Amino acid sequence: MRFRDWLQLFRAQTAPATILLILTPYLTNAALFSLETAAIFIFALLIHWVSFGHNSLMDTAMGYDLADPSKSHHPLVAERISMPAAHNVIHWSFCGLAVFTILLSLMVSPNPLYAIVAIFLWWVFGYAYNS
C-alpha cells in the first residue's frame, strides 16, 4: 500500500476542478491570500479526495469496477488497498470533515446556518449518488 495508491483511489488528479468550483465564487468577494481562503482550499481538496474515494469504494463494493476490465489497475480492484482499510479511512475522514465543515462555516460564513445547510445538502446528495 503506497501513498500513490491512495491518491489514485481519491482521484487526486481531478481535485483542481472541485477546488475551482468552490473557490471561484468565494473569491469574487474575498482576499486570495488569507487564512480563510487557505482553509477553504484545504476543505475543497479534502472533500474532493474523500468523496471521490467514497465513489471508488462503492463502485468496487457493488462490483461495478470488478466487472470492468479497464479498472483492473485501480488500487481496490488490484487489492493494493484492502476494502476494510479504504472503508475506515474514507468513513472516518467523512466524520472529521463534518466537524471541520461546521467550524469552517461558523468562522468564515456571514450566514453560518445557510452555509451549513447548503454544504450538508451538497454532501448528502453526493453520498447518496455514490451509494
Side-chain angles (χ1 to χ4, degrees):
M1 184 169 31
R2 302 173 309 195
F3 185 65
R4 182 180 183 271
D5 293 326
W6 285 99
L7 290 176
Q8 188 176 12
L9 175 69
F10 296 144
R11 294 187 227 159
Q13 77 279 6
T14 61
T18 301
I19 293 166
L20 288 173
L21 178 70
I22 293 171
L23 279 182
T24 300
Y26 174 76
L27 289 173
T28 60
N29 197 29
L32 175 61
F33 299 108
S34 68
L35 289 176
E36 290 86 2
T37 301
I40 292 171
F41 176 90
I42 291 166
F43 165 76
L45 177 66
L46 294 175
I47 199 67
H48 175 88
W49 284 358
V50 174
S51 60
F52 276 77
H54 182 251
N55 182 266
S56 297
L57 175 67
M58 294 307 296
D59 284 354
T60 303
M62 297 300 293
Y64 307 130
D65 284 358
L66 297 173
D68 185 350
S70 68
K71 303 281 179 100
S72 63
H73 66 286
H74 285 213
L76 288 175
V77 176
E79 297 181 356
R80 292 190 307 272
I81 297 175
S82 72
M83 292 292 282
H87 168 78
N88 285 329
V89 167
I90 289 165
H91 288 100
W92 283 109
S93 293
F94 268 133
C95 295
L97 280 170
V99 173
F100 181 54
T101 300
I102 292 167
L103 295 174
L104 184 64
S105 296
L106 292 172
M107 292 185 324
V108 174
S109 177
N111 195 331
L113 177 62
Y114 287 144
I116 292 170
V117 168
I119 288 171
F120 277 103
L121 283 174
W122 175 57
W123 199 327
V124 167
F125 284 118
Y127 194 90
Y129 171 83
N130 289 341
S131 296

